[in-house]
Amino acid sequence: MNLNEFFDLMERKEPIRKGTELSLFMNAVSRETQKITAKLNNGEYDIDRIHGIFSEITGTPVDESLGIHLPFNTDFGKNIRLGKNVFINSGCCFQDQGGITIGDNALIGHNVVIATLNHDFAPERRADLLPAPVVIGNGVWIGSGSVILPGVTIGENAVIGAGSVVTRDVEANTVAAGNPARKIKEIPRT
């Protein structure tokens, strides 16, 4: 298996069953990513070197406008896509096997968790992982301590209140908060 085959299976939302070729491949990539992430979080680097190491994690070049405060953690790394002028604050954890896309000018607060895998509810298949991508639109601001669950799309310019658990899509130009997050108000257009 290679990364393109893996991405194709994740896009089709194929379950990741324990012990399969898909699972073994995912775990091997994750182990390599853990090594690179440890290097990122345990050194003193200028921003160019941080961008270089982050590019190693994702397997694609990151834009020079990426702002990031360490530490940063990810389970897989290779299925993260970032726009321009993205800011990721310290303590974030991205579980990206199912795919994380973050649009331009997005702000990700301290200790945000973005998850793209869920477990099967059936007890006999509980160890199976079910991928679903997370898409964060342009201009989104996610408040500190929020959790974004698999399959969620957050629309352009939306704001997620600190400590929220986002379980379903959030409309563009709205503020959502709570557990589960719900629409609080619309953002006035200027």
Side-chain angles (χ1 to χ4, degrees), residues 35-188:
K35 292 176 191 174
I36 301 167
T37 304
K39 177 172 66 172
L40 176 69
N41 290 325
N42 291 305
E44 293 184 29
Y45 307 112
D46 64 23
I47 193 65
D48 291 333
R49 185 67 181 125
I50 290 170
H51 288 161
I53 297 170
F54 205 92
S55 295
E56 284 180 59
I57 290 169
T58 64
T60 58
V62 297
D63 192 80
E64 63 184 24
S65 63
L66 171 67
I68 184 166
H69 288 181
L70 303 174
F72 170 82
N73 287 293
T74 184
D75 287 2
F76 189 75
K78 303 298 186 239
N79 213 356
I80 299 171
R81 301 294 171 256
L82 302 176
K84 295 181 190 236
N85 298 309
V86 170
F87 177 74
I88 301 169
N89 220 323
S90 63
C92 290
C93 184
F94 290 7
Q95 180 198 52
D96 65 288
Q97 290 89 333
I100 296 173
T101 301
I102 301 176
D104 296 343
N105 304 306
L107 304 173
I108 313 297
H110 290 91
N111 300 311
V112 168
V113 173
I114 302 175
T116 66
L117 295 176
N118 209 342
H119 290 274
D120 198 305
F121 283 103
E124 65 276 6
R125 293 189 308 273
R126 189 69 43 86
D128 291 354
L129 299 172
L130 308 174
V134 169
V135 177
I136 298 168
N138 294 334
V140 168
W141 173 20
I142 300 175
S144 296
S146 294
V147 177
I148 314 302
L149 294 180
V152 166
T153 295
I154 301 174
E156 202 167 273
N157 300 317
V159 175
I160 306 301
S164 295
V165 178
V166 184
T167 61
R168 60 181 177 260
D169 292 352
V170 174
E171 294 175 43
N173 302 301
T174 61
V175 176
N179 181 5
R182 61 180 176 77
K183 179 179 172 180
I184 302 297
K185 65 180 179 178
E186 292 189 19
I187 298 171

Side-chain angles (χ1 to χ4, degrees), residues 1 6 9-10 14-16 20-27:
M1 174 162 299
F6 180 86
L9 292 169
M10 293 302 95
E14 289 291 324
I16 303 168
T20 62
E21 180 184 8
L22 178 58
S23 174
L24 296 172
F25 178 81
M26 180 188 73
N27 290 332

